[in-house]
Amino acid sequence: EPLTWITASAGRETRLILVDDVAYFRADNKYTTVMTAEGEALLRTPIKELLTVLDATTFKQIHRSTIVNLRAIAGIVRDDSGRGTVRLRNRPETLAVSAPFMGLFRHM
């Protein structure tokens, strides 16, 4: 059964975040940063462990340090080296896609 909710820290506040609201997760030393349209929070769960409990049809690893919610993707740009850049719907930043993970986007 995939995760539905996560609890994450944002300063002194503990947030209850619906997993569907997560744009992406990024490894950050011993923590994982959770990015939503509203902002960011921290989890104490490593990214490798998150992969085992997230819905594999919705969340995909696109870099060794990044897991993205496929529903949050607005578009992807491929470069000549085989890497890519993901543009998100509700976040201003872009995410790097390393060459080994570009295969996820071949059929999109």
Side-chain angles (χ1 to χ4, degrees), residues 19-84:
V19 172
D20 288 342
D21 292 340
V22 174
Y24 66 94
F25 296 94
R26 176 166 282 154
D28 184 11
N29 294 322
K30 294 180 181 181
Y31 299 96
T32 299
T33 303
V34 181
M35 299 300 289
T36 66
E38 290 79 38
E40 66 181 74
L42 288 177
L43 286 175
R44 292 185 185 264
T45 308
I47 210 150
K48 284 185 178 185
E49 193 175 313
L50 274 174
L51 275 171
T52 65
V53 294
L54 291 169
D55 183 352
T57 61
T58 305
F59 289 90
K60 299 291 183 183
Q61 187 169 13
I62 60 168
H63 190 276
R64 68 181 171 88
S65 64
T66 310
I67 299 170
V68 69
N69 183 340
L70 295 178
R71 295 179 184 138
I73 295 175
I76 184 161
V77 177
R78 292 174 177 86
D79 66 16
D80 294 335
S81 68
R83 295 186 185 108

Side-chain angles (χ1 to χ4, degrees), residues 5-25:
W5 295 91
I6 55 172
T7 54
S9 301
R12 294 181 180 203
E13 179 184 9
T14 298
R15 293 187 185 162
L16 190 59
I17 301 170
L18 186 61
V19 172
D20 288 342
D21 292 340
V22 174
Y24 66 94
F25 296 94

Side-chain angles (χ1 to χ4, degrees), residues 23 68-77 85-95 105 108:
V68 69
N69 183 340
L70 295 178
R71 295 179 184 138
I73 295 175
I76 184 161
V77 177
T85 304
V86 166
R87 192 170 38 85
L88 300 167
R89 293 183 194 283
N90 296 316
R91 297 285 315 168
E93 67 272 20
T94 58
L95 304 175
F105 302 103
M108 289 184 159

